[in-house]
Amino acid sequence: MPPPRNCHSGRVINRARLLPVVAATAAAVAFLAGCGGDQREGSARSVSSAPVSTPAVGPPVVEVTPGGLADAVTLDRVMGHVRAFQQIADNHGGTRASGTPGHAASVDYVAGLLRTAGFEVTTPEFGYQRFDAGPVELTADGDKIDAHVLEYSAGTGGKPVTGAPVEVGALGCAPGDYPPAVRGSVAVVTRGQCTFADKARTAEAAGAVGVVVVNNEPKPMLGSTLGPDDRPAIPVVGISSDDGQRVRSSSEVSLSVDAETTPVTTRNVVAETRTGATDDVVMAGAHLDSVVEGPGMNDNGSGSAAVLETALRLGSSPRVPHRVRFAFWGGEEDGLVGSTEYVRGLDAAERRAVALYLNFDMLASPNGGYFTYDGDDSEHQGAGAGPGGSDGIERVFAKFYADRGIPLGPNDFDGRSDYGPFIAVGIPSGGVATGAEQKKSKEQAEMWGGTAGEPFDPNYHSPRDTVDNINTELLAVNAAAVAHAVATYALATNGPDGVPAVGVRQRAEG
């Protein structure tokens, strides 16, 4: 799961952690069984040659039922895939991030098992720009100012940029706003009216060596971006309105930014059954990539493993009325790139054919809880309800957990994971999760156990997100929930409230 942000084009990571990983992952991916002919990420040789143990693949269930498929997706089998992902990460510098050999090996592992099981499998390639950022330091007459780099800003090349701060007239959107004194100086502009990129490019054309954008409210400028295209070659940072006057009134500012934008090429895995209606498709997915900093076993080896095992036990030719499609996304940690590219590539008829999308991101947080997406916005908090039918998906999961005596918590429909691009085009969506960096409340600890005041996953986005970070109790229940929901919608004979349905889309809306 990516950190909260206001765009889907990249993310900020710690370059101090990135550098040794990049050195370690300059390697070619060992070819896994059944993966011939696919393009791969990375180059040269893997860090370790330890073999990846592929768990024995169980036969498809004889008769698809929600309960039967849920029982077939056992913890032992799901953990076999998690351990395989851990070994892949261990072989490739401790990461499975998109664009690295570790991710390419993860793609080959998943695609190979699904091809062997008879699925129609594709691994479409796509590219994007990844923004990596480290420390930012801004001083005004030697006093440190709290500053945040704008996404896709240029770095300062290892040494600070210094100059007199020059206040820009109006809002810095027109060349005439920039006085001659800007040349060789640091432009100080106020947020508003035009894009940050327009301000920065205009400042650069006027000769500025850097830009400080002052927020129009007394809080830090977080999550702001220049966009990946036509980027200025000078550093750009943002500060709060409270700090604006300190910068404007100083005689000299110094700005140091550690940042770099690099192209990434990576792949999704999309696998589809060979039976069922092609114009009424049930879709389930999980992101396959980790962050650069770690192997990503909870985030999101857990979701990938549960979806993969569900697909294998459903089988490639189940006797169900609806086609089932499974997706394993790349580029999620860099801003939902893989799922966004996939949805963008669907034409109108193909979008209509996707009856619903089920998303599974982080199913085994060590201090976790049980959450389902608030499809009907019954909590009236954060984002609104999902597209029509999302409420029905929420009810399917609610009944699954209620039948097991497990209370569910609501997860805001904020589009933070790979369901975001689907709901943006009106496709009903839902899913379950166990919590990320947020802290567990006292009430939640009383409801589910665990430690109040601690994050649901204390090892979120860190090198410690290993197989030892997996809460197997939660994973066992949630993997069964994945299978139960997939089978429920693949069969699509009755709505979640027992209402007969014509098709899956109507079933979701039931």
Side-chain angles (χ1 to χ4, degrees):
M1 177 180 289
R5 51 178 300 108
N6 66 352
C7 69
H8 288 165
S9 54
R11 80 179 184 91
V12 178
I13 66 174
N14 188 325
R15 293 190 67 228
R17 291 178 178 172
L18 172 66
L19 294 177
V21 173
V22 170
T25 57
V29 181
F31 207 46
L32 296 184
C35 300
D38 277 66
Q39 296 176 333
R40 272 179 236 37
E41 303 148 72
S43 60
R45 195 171 53 190
S46 64
V47 173
S48 167
S49 59
V52 175
S53 177
T54 302
V57 177
V61 294
V62 175
E63 179 183 1
V64 178
T65 65
L69 189 60
D71 289 343
V73 177
T74 65
L75 177 64
D76 284 347
R77 292 183 182 277
V78 173
M79 283 300 298
H81 301 306
V82 174
R83 284 189 287 271
F85 291 141
Q86 180 67 65
Q87 185 60 63
I88 288 169
D90 291 344
N91 286 355
H92 297 94
T95 186
R96 299 183 306 108
S98 285
T100 69
H103 182 260
S106 299
V107 167
D108 289 345
Y109 174 82
V110 170
L113 287 176
L114 291 168
R115 285 195 179 105
T116 300
F119 283 84
E120 296 180 355
V121 180
T122 60
T123 59
E125 186 179 85
F126 59 95
Y128 60 98
Q129 301 291 316
R130 172 184 283 151
F131 177 65
D132 306 326
V136 176
E137 185 171 300
L138 173 67
T139 62
D141 290 338
D143 294 332
K144 184 173 285 190
I145 305 293
D146 184 29
H148 298 271
V149 65
L150 272 67
E151 186 181 34
Y152 298 114
S153 167
T156 55
K159 66 177 186 177
V161 167
T162 60
V166 175
E167 185 169 6
V168 174
L171 291 173
C173 297
D177 295 341
Y178 293 81
V182 164
R183 183 165 297 278
S185 301
V186 176
V188 182
V189 300
T190 303
R191 181 178 190 171
Q193 188 174 333
C194 60
T195 67
F196 298 123
D198 286 341
K199 295 175 190 288
R201 284 192 294 265
T202 307
E204 182 182 31
V209 297
V211 177
V212 176
V213 181
V214 181
N215 205 356
N216 49 17
E217 53 186 342
K219 65 180 183 180
M221 270 183 49
L222 301 174
S224 300
T225 183
L226 298 171
D229 302 320
D230 195 17
R231 301 183 302 274
I234 58 176
V236 184
V237 300
I239 63 175
S240 72
S241 60
D242 287 344
D243 289 326
Q245 189 53 41
R246 293 172 62 193
V247 171
R248 293 185 183 103
S249 62
S250 65
S251 60
E252 183 181 80
V253 297
S254 176
L255 175 60
S256 177
V257 174
D258 183 9
E260 184 178 17
T261 298
T262 53
V264 171
T265 301
T266 190
R267 294 177 290 163
N268 291 327
V269 179
V270 181
E272 190 165 297
T273 57
R274 298 177 182 273
T275 54
T278 59
D279 61 348
D280 210 8
V281 178
V282 174
M283 194 163 181
H287 74 86
L288 189 55
D289 61 321
S290 73
V291 295
V292 171
E293 295 89 338
M297 290 302 102
N298 181 36
D299 185 14
N300 183 39
S302 62
S304 295
V307 172
L308 175 59
E309 186 61 23
T310 294
L312 295 173
R313 300 315 303 275
L314 177 69
S316 60
S317 300
R319 292 195 293 271
V320 295
H322 303 287
R323 192 69 53 111
V324 184
R325 187 177 301 156
F326 297 94
F328 301 82
W329 308 115
E332 192 269 359
E333 294 291 2
D334 293 325
L336 317 183
V337 186
S339 54
T340 299
E341 289 293 316
Y342 176 82
V343 172
R344 184 183 294 140
L346 299 175
D347 61 28
E350 290 169 333
R351 287 184 182 181
R352 287 194 299 270
V354 179
L356 57 93
Y357 173 69
L358 306 173
N359 191 69
F360 303 101
D361 189 355
M362 300 182 66
L363 302 186
S365 299
N367 191 38
Y370 293 95
F371 295 94
T372 190
Y373 294 114
D374 187 13
D376 60 2
D377 194 31
S378 58
E379 296 297 308
H380 305 294
Q381 293 182 357
S390 303
D391 54 344
I393 297 172
E394 182 183 359
R395 289 196 295 273
V396 167
F397 285 115
K399 186 176 187 307
F400 172 87
Y401 290 94
D403 287 346
R404 287 153 181 77
I406 298 172
L408 273 179
N411 209 355
D412 185 33
F413 235 44
D414 58 7
R416 185 176 164 185
S417 191
D418 285 304
Y419 66 91
F422 288 86
I423 64 175
V425 297
I427 295 173
S429 299
V432 295
T434 55
E437 78 281 16
Q438 306 91 343
K439 292 183 178 180
K440 178 176 279 189
S441 70
K442 179 181 177 182
E443 294 74 19
Q444 289 168 332
E446 291 173 351
M447 186 163 53
W448 296 314
T451 305
E454 294 295 323
F456 291 106
D457 185 354
N459 302 312
Y460 176 68
H461 282 190
S462 84
R464 297 179 301 279
D465 187 10
T466 66
V467 68
D468 295 331
N469 196 46
I470 294 290
N471 184 326
T472 55
E473 180 180 350
L474 268 66
L475 183 57
V477 175
N478 290 327
V482 174
H484 181 276
V486 167
T488 296
Y489 283 111
L491 292 166
T493 54
N494 293 299
D497 298 322
V499 179
V502 175
V504 178
R505 179 66 63 89
Q506 290 81 6
R507 173 159 165 51
E509 295 170 354

